[in-house]
Amino acid sequence: MKILKFGGSSVGSVESINRLMKILKDEEGGEQKPLVVLSAMQGVTNLLSEMALMASQGESFEEGLKELEEKHFQVVKQLMAVRSQNPVFTKLKIYFNELEDLLQGVFTLQELSPQTRDKILSFGERCSVLLVSHIAGQYFPDTLAVDASVLIKTDDTFGNARVDMKTSEKLIQEFVDLKRDKFLFITGFIASTVDGKTTTLGRGGSDYTAAIFGSALNASTVEIWTDVDGMLTADPRMVKKAFSLPVLSYTEAMELSYFGAKVIYPPTMMPAFLKNISIVIKNSFNPSFSGTIIQRDSGRSSFPIKGISSINKVSILNLSGSGMIGKAGFSGKLFTLLAQNHINVILITQSSSEHSITFAVHPEDAHQAKRLIENEFELEIAADKLHVPELEGNLSVLAIVGENMKKTPGMSGRLFYALGRNGVNVRAIAQGSSEYNISVIISHNDLSKALNAVHDAFFSSLKTTLHMFCLGTGNISSTLLSQIRKQHEFLKENNDIEIKMVGISNSRKMHFNLNGIELSTWNDTLDNEGEKADLKLFIEEMKNLNLPNCVLLDNTASHEPVKYYEEVFSSNISLVTCNKLANSGSYKQYCSLKDCARKHGVDFFYETNVGAGLPIVRTLKELMTSGDRIISIEAILSGTISYIFNNYVGDRSFYDVVKTAQELGFTEPDPRDDLKGADFMRKFLILARDSGLTLEPEDIVLENILPRNCIDAPSVEAFYAELEASESHFKALKDRAEAENKAIRYIGKLEDGQVQIRLELVDSSHPFYSLSGSDNVISFITERYSQRPLVVKGPGAGAEVTAAGVFAELVNVGHNA
Ligand code: ASP
Ligand code: MG
């Protein structure tokens, strides 16, 4: 036999009751009639509760009563044939009159006892069962509304009564035996004491009723019909990527439903567990979906955990002091005290030094708990053996749950890595020795970020979402964004990474979109929807959004963004940049940026600072971390100068070559910016620092390619004139090179702690001799590469390759997430 339980949303409206009928029709083919357990119509229990409260405060409850009647009558009018409506109206009216009398009593006395409250609440289920059984009577023979309060016997803890299973099971069996030929519609939630007073089983208790019936009748399955696709990996309101779980064990379901979204009432699991009855959670809005099965065996799963649950708001109390050490019974006394005062303790941790105990309670209980402790331990506090309890609010609990965690090392590591990397501070930790649950207490402000980051970390075959913020919309950004757009699907498939651009800004405008800015139209979006750019506000907004796996791109060549780098790292946001200015400023700044990023566990990637996309910074870093030592580095890092000397070989004058280089877009608007070597110097400085040298920019000896008159020329035009006039200077150099069979190269050299950038003549045995076009080349001589150098060579400039370098690092940030 099957028990089908329908929650409030499945009897919430005309449409849902129609859906319910359809589900029952589909069940008809089964061998045995199922038993149907029903909740009150959606919102009705809350409404009754409010009316009771209002009456007790001497306020009018008439409107509520009218709303209640209307809600039920509407359904009768729309779903029942006119001639059969009257008896139902009459029966409902009797209930409403009874309810009104009760509320009137409360109103007169201005007093609401838990007992009366339960009686008032019971009308929700009674009405819904009456209603639905009659509607069902139009399609099925012999339907019967059953008030289960006479069958389920409890103690007199009104509001949350304890069930006497033995008596109840017997009563249920006898009753169902007698009515075997009927199609039963049974009230959930309500019960009664031995002397017949109405009780309730706790909010959400209809699920429990279903399980009690299941247990009494040895049902094969209890189906809980609700409005979501079963139990999910996390609360879908906070974690968009949450997905439904096909199988859970009773314990897992209990852990997941205790916290988080209440898909099922936790006590429901007990009777089912004892009788090994499977519980299936189904969606009445999506009946063909298989839902979640809860059973003894937790089933195979490719994921290490089943889900993540959370409690939105908790407070913690921290007790510390020497008086606790080695004193047996202290915590016993503490928690008995709380229990006696009905304060529910959510989580407890104690340090092994026994010097402190921290526990979490609901915020409403926190102040009372603090007061109780202060009174109870007054003497200890006065004697300074115990400190005054510290109370902290605005916290949340996040827990990972799953039986597979048992005996699997690395689970807590993964949890804390995800939290740490995203800058989520953990206030307290608890792991049950069952190893089914690891709970952490964190700031409430971080909850959403933490849930998403942890979800990404454990369900890694889903995609990690990288939240990207982009500064600069020039050549490199545009190229990068179109590269990302083209690679989007590939990344999702092959790297499990999804890049979502949440914010973008140039010097004029900025724009944010939490759902991701469309990459094919970002340009127009920024123009049309963007607000006035303000870097400070941009950074503020990025921080305030507090998104997980967050990365800032600095694709500018400006000093401004650099000022915010440390603030960005301190907010646990990674940074990828092709902007050289940060690392080539003062040595102090270089170090403090690196330290700051390291301290906060975020990535600071700047491969494209040197040689665009060529793997130079990375290669150097890998050499160093593997324990190699740099002996010398030689490099050509100016594509522009390479191009010029590679072409200054025939009849053309130096002036001609520079002019052509400019026309081809190889130089800055003022070619002297390249020829003076400042850009080269910055790149080489970064390399030298990365190889371990403490250097300031002025420590680098930079030889000038240009004679004085060219450097001093007041304008670009004047410069060209001087250049033309200085041909003999360059020709002498070229002739010498030709005579010696050598090539002219502008080379940076690091050796014995010294860095020089000079013009050199190299012969054909030198690795830089045969360099073509605008290539960069870097040659490392190290302890391991001492005979022949390790050489990296290739195009070291241009938007395509630079953007590609930035892109690769972005993906690496995703992999580290
Ligand atoms: N109607 C009751 C409540 O809202 C019981 C239930 O829905 O399970 O709590
Ligand atoms: Mg419910």
Side-chain angles (χ1 to χ4, degrees):
M1 169 187 289
K2 249 194 199 175
I3 315 284
L4 309 181
K5 181 261 165 178
F6 294 89
S9 55
S10 306
V11 288
S13 63
V14 168
E15 295 79 46
S16 34
I17 294 176
N18 272 333
R19 263 193 295 270
L20 195 161
M21 291 303 143
K22 172 110 195 355
I23 294 168
L24 293 183
K25 277 179 212 152
D26 291 343
E27 282 292 330
E28 233 191 341
E31 291 158 28
Q32 258 179 323
K33 264 194 230 68
L35 246 73
V36 177
V37 174
L38 299 173
S39 291
M41 287 180 80
Q42 193 161 35
V44 164
T45 310
N46 284 342
L47 183 60
L48 289 166
S49 168
E50 264 167 50
M51 277 157 46
L53 188 70
M54 286 173 80
S56 74
Q57 293 165 342
E59 291 167 39
S60 162
F61 52 84
E62 290 301 327
E63 287 229 337
L65 205 58
K66 222 186 266 154
E67 186 184 335
L68 197 72
E69 288 191 13
E70 199 43 34
K71 204 170 169 123
H72 289 86
F73 287 172
Q74 269 305 325
V75 174
V76 178
K77 282 181 200 150
Q78 294 191 45
L79 290 183
M80 295 200 66
V82 179
R83 61 194 146 76
S84 21
Q85 284 178 6
N86 262 338
V88 188
F89 281 139
T90 313
K91 286 182 193 167
L92 280 173
K93 199 67 202 166
I94 294 173
Y95 276 152
F96 293 139
N97 287 343
E98 212 180 310
L99 175 64
E100 189 172 5
D101 287 349
L102 269 170
L103 288 165
Q104 192 56 52
V106 173
F107 181 83
T108 314
L109 293 171
Q110 299 220 355
E111 188 193 282
L112 177 64
S113 69
Q115 181 182 332
T116 311
R117 187 169 183 273
D118 271 3
K119 180 95 198 177
I120 292 173
L121 294 191
S122 74
F123 283 91
E125 267 69 11
R126 289 170 166 184
C127 291
S128 79
V129 160
L130 181 73
L131 192 71
V132 175
S133 67
H134 275 95
I135 295 168
Q138 305 179 117
Y139 309 101
F140 308 97
D142 293 324
T143 59
L144 183 67
V146 181
D147 180 345
S149 62
V150 295
L151 301 176
I152 299 179
K153 287 293 166 187
T154 67
D155 69 1
D156 60 359
T157 319
F158 296 99
N160 202 356
R162 274 181 73 99
V163 176
D164 173 351
M165 276 308 259
K166 235 172 129 192
T167 313
S168 309
E169 290 200 351
K170 196 156 162 281
L171 288 171
I172 291 170
Q173 284 157 4
E174 286 168 6
F175 177 82
V176 174
D177 237 15
L178 221 64
K179 310 280 177 188
R180 182 159 281 165
D181 51 336
K182 306 263 193 243
F183 193 173
L184 304 181
F185 290 80
I186 302 161
T187 55
F189 185 50
I190 60 178
S192 64
T193 60
V194 201
D195 52 355
K197 294 189 185 99
T198 304
T199 55
T200 60
L201 303 177
R203 291 304 306 269
S206 300
D207 296 348
Y208 191 26
T209 303
I212 295 167
F213 271 79
S215 170
L217 303 171
N218 279 315
S220 55
T221 328
V222 173
E223 286 184 1
I224 307 283
W225 287 82
T226 175
D227 53 3
V228 287
D229 282 338
M231 300 261 273
L232 305 189
T233 50
D235 185 342
R237 286 167 303 181
M238 298 223 248
V239 180
K240 284 219 181 67
K241 285 184 228 169
F243 57 93
S244 57
L245 292 158
V247 182
L248 285 174
S249 73
Y250 296 113
T251 326
E252 288 171 337
M254 190 104 90
E255 297 273 6
L256 281 174
S257 55
Y258 181 60
F259 296 171
K262 297 253 179 294
V263 177
I264 184 167
Y265 186 50
T268 312
M269 249 65 80
M270 217 16 151
F273 171 78
L274 291 173
K275 290 274 177 84
N276 205 4
I277 300 167
S278 58
I279 300 176
V280 186
I281 301 181
K282 300 271 292 176
N283 186 355
S284 59
F285 296 79
N286 184 16
S288 60
F289 188 77
S290 55
T292 301
I293 301 181
I294 304 170
Q295 56 184 34
R296 202 155 268 181
D297 179 12
S298 93
R300 285 184 167 278
S301 159
S302 48
F303 300 112
I305 65 168
K306 281 295 172 62
I308 308 163
S309 65
S310 55
I311 307 180
N312 219 2
K313 284 265 171 92
V314 299
S315 297
I316 57 175
L317 272 149
N318 186 31
L319 257 73
S320 59
S322 59
M324 286 158 55
I325 302 175
K327 201 153 176 238
F330 178 84
S331 53
K333 203 167 153 192
L334 170 66
F335 293 115
T336 310
L337 171 72
L338 297 172
Q340 278 165 352
N341 289 279
H342 301 289
I343 292 178
N344 183 29
V345 176
I346 296 169
L347 173 159
I348 308 168
T349 63
Q350 176 176 23
S351 67
S352 58
S353 69
E354 301 184 41
H355 186 263
S356 72
I357 293 182
T358 301
F359 63 91
V361 294
H362 290 292
E364 314 87 74
D365 295 335
H367 287 284
Q368 195 200 350
K370 184 170 154 61
R371 263 195 315 276
L372 286 167
I373 295 166
E374 282 167 356
N375 290 340
E376 181 79 19
F377 297 101
E378 201 180 352
L379 293 177
E380 286 88 340
I381 293 173
D384 218 19
K385 295 206 149 145
L386 199 66
H387 303 142
V388 176
E390 294 163 51
L391 173 64
E392 198 182 334
N394 206 22
L395 299 168
S396 299
V397 180
L398 176 154
I400 55 172
V401 171
E403 288 193 15
N404 284 352
M405 285 201 297
K406 206 165 164 175
K407 304 193 182 79
T408 314
M411 291 303 104
S412 51
R414 208 188 284 194
L415 170 66
F416 293 113
Y417 179 78
L419 294 172
R421 189 173 160 84
N422 286 286
V424 177
N425 188 29
V426 175
R427 304 300 321 279
I429 306 166
Q431 175 180 12
S433 56
S434 64
E435 299 187 51
Y436 292 162
N437 172 321
I438 303 176
S439 303
V440 294
I441 295 194
I442 58 177
S443 156
H444 175 68
N445 300 338
D446 286 332
L447 181 61
S448 157
K449 175 165 87 166
L451 279 170
N452 283 286
V454 172
H455 200 272
D456 273 354
F458 281 96
F459 300 104
S460 55
S461 66
L462 304 176
K463 319 301 167 204
T464 295
T465 302
L466 213 53
H467 294 101
M468 177 176 96
F469 293 81
C470 180
L471 291 177
T473 57
N475 237 335
I476 292 176
S477 283
S478 328
T479 313
L480 173 70
L481 295 178
S482 89
Q483 286 177 357
I484 294 177
R485 187 165 58 86
K486 286 187 204 128
Q487 280 301 96
H488 198 253
E489 286 310 308
F490 180 86
L491 272 180
K492 263 170 92 169
E493 282 313 306
N494 296 283
N495 290 293
D496 297 329
I497 289 173
E498 192 168 14
I499 299 177
K500 199 188 253 187
M501 180 162 76
V502 181
I504 187 164
S505 177
N506 54 27
S507 54
R508 283 158 281 114
K509 288 201 159 173
M510 64 182 187
H511 180 65
F512 298 91
N513 183 347
L514 255 180
N515 298 320
I517 297 166
E518 175 54 51
L519 291 185
S520 52
T521 50
W522 65 268
N523 227 329
D524 293 337
T525 311
L526 185 64
D527 272 350
N528 302 331
E529 293 168 40
E531 48 193 308
K532 191 172 171 307
D534 183 329
L535 187 55
K536 193 169 171 3
L537 290 181
F538 186 88
I539 302 284
E540 276 308 302
E541 177 70 7
M542 175 174 76
K543 283 166 59 180
N544 288 341
L545 287 171
N546 205 13
L547 296 168
N549 309 323
C550 200
V551 57
L552 175 69
L553 291 186
D554 176 8
N555 287 341
T556 71
S558 147
H559 283 285
E560 287 309 305
V562 178
K563 294 179 189 156
Y564 294 93
Y565 280 13
E566 293 203 21
E567 192 179 333
V568 169
F569 297 144
S570 306
S571 312
N572 288 82
I573 295 170
S574 291
L575 198 135
V576 175
T577 182
C578 58
N579 184 353
K580 304 179 206 31
L581 297 176
N583 283 322
S584 61
S586 73
Y587 184 71
K588 190 161 159 267
Q589 170 173 291
Y590 167 85
C591 292
S592 93
L593 287 176
K594 289 209 152 178
D595 286 348
C596 188
R598 198 176 308 122
K599 186 168 144 213
H600 291 94
V602 292
D603 296 322
F604 174 28
F605 288 153
Y606 52 87
E607 177 65 79
T608 47
N609 281 4
V610 184
L614 294 179
I616 300 170
V617 171
R618 200 179 338 151
T619 304
L620 176 57
K621 186 170 172 201
E622 278 164 14
L623 287 173
M624 307 275 294
T625 47
S626 67
D628 205 349
R629 209 179 56 83
I630 304 295
I631 295 169
S632 68
I633 302 175
E634 267 191 291
I636 291 179
L637 295 174
S638 168
T640 316
I641 301 178
S642 289
Y643 174 87
I644 290 170
F645 284 113
N646 275 333
N647 286 281
Y648 185 49
V649 284
D651 321 330
R652 281 193 300 164
S653 70
F654 195 73
Y655 162 88
D656 275 337
V657 176
V658 174
K659 198 93 204 172
T660 322
Q662 172 152 45
E663 278 155 18
L664 290 174
F666 279 127
T667 73
E668 296 293 322
D670 185 340
R672 287 176 293 186
D673 289 343
D674 299 299
L675 291 166
K676 274 179 1 198
D679 193 53
F680 193 148
M681 188 281 285
R682 288 197 191 101
K683 296 176 191 169
F684 209 76
L685 177 62
I686 296 171
L687 266 189
R689 286 172 169 175
D690 277 3
S691 77
L693 292 186
T694 306
L695 282 179
E696 294 297 343
E698 48 285 4
D699 295 332
I700 294 187
V701 179
L702 190 64
E703 186 191 346
N704 247 314
I705 297 176
L706 300 171
R708 198 75 249 168
N709 57 325
C710 296
I711 294 175
D712 292 342
S715 65
V716 176
E717 212 168 288
F719 155 72
Y720 270 117
E722 292 296 337
L723 197 62
E724 202 162 15
S726 307
E727 178 59 19
S728 60
H729 170 88
F730 297 104
K731 183 153 185 321
L733 190 65
K734 184 168 83 171
D735 288 347
R736 211 178 95 211
E738 267 168 16
E740 296 178 18
N741 229 341
K742 290 180 175 171
I744 311 167
R745 296 287 179 253
Y746 194 50
I747 299 179
K749 203 175 227 167
L750 177 158
E751 215 168 14
D752 303 326
Q754 299 292 316
V755 179
Q756 297 190 327
I757 301 172
R758 291 191 291 139
L759 271 182
E760 281 187 46
L761 300 182
V762 299
D763 64 30
S764 58
S765 68
H766 195 282
F768 295 179
Y769 180 83
S770 55
L771 190 70
S772 51
S774 61
D775 276 3
N776 278 194
V777 56
I778 296 88
S779 149
F780 297 99
I781 296 192
T782 70
E783 268 173 9
R784 290 181 193 144
Y785 291 93
S786 59
Q787 297 304 320
R788 291 192 313 121
L790 185 152
V791 178
V792 182
K793 183 170 153 184
E800 274 298 326
V801 289
T802 307
V806 173
F807 192 2
E809 299 205 298
L810 209 53
V811 174
N812 282 336
V813 174
H815 283 156
N816 290 344

